[in-house]
């Protein structure tokens, strides 16, 4: 193994089992995505509950 190969292997940022450590930007993007998905699921559940109320006559407009 030459000197350049040693530096090349070290510079990859691999941890255990060859997995690369995610950057702060990647982790932040992942958290934003997870929050957006959770909000979307919450909104979807609200829409379904409201639609069920309309179907069963639970909501009347004055």
């Amino acid at each position: 193994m030459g000197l350049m190969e040693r530096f090349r292997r070290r510079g990859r940022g691999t941890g255990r089992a060859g997995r690369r450590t995610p950057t702060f930007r990647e982790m932040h993007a992942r958290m934003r995505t997870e929050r957006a998905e959770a909000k979307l699921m919450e909104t979807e559940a609200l829409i379904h509950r409201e639609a069920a109320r309309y179907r069963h006559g639970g909501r009347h407009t004055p």
Side-chain angles (χ1 to χ4, degrees):
M1 176 183 338
L3 183 62
M4 293 305 291
E5 180 64 27
R6 188 179 307 158
F7 285 127
R8 199 174 301 138
R9 289 184 68 194
R10 186 180 298 169
R12 270 195 315 214
T14 56
R16 288 184 298 152
R19 294 181 62 185
R20 186 176 60 81
T21 305
T23 63
F24 174 77
R25 179 176 283 176
E26 291 170 338
M27 289 300 291
H28 191 65
R30 184 177 184 180
M31 290 301 293
R32 268 198 331 263
T33 302
E34 288 176 3
R35 276 195 303 259
E37 286 176 349
K39 186 176 179 182
L40 182 64
M41 294 296 285
E42 184 180 324
T43 303
E44 190 175 344
L46 180 72
I47 290 169
H48 282 288
R49 282 194 302 268
E50 192 168 334
R53 271 190 252 134
Y54 274 111
R55 276 195 305 270
H56 296 297
R59 185 166 177 138
H60 300 287
T61 56

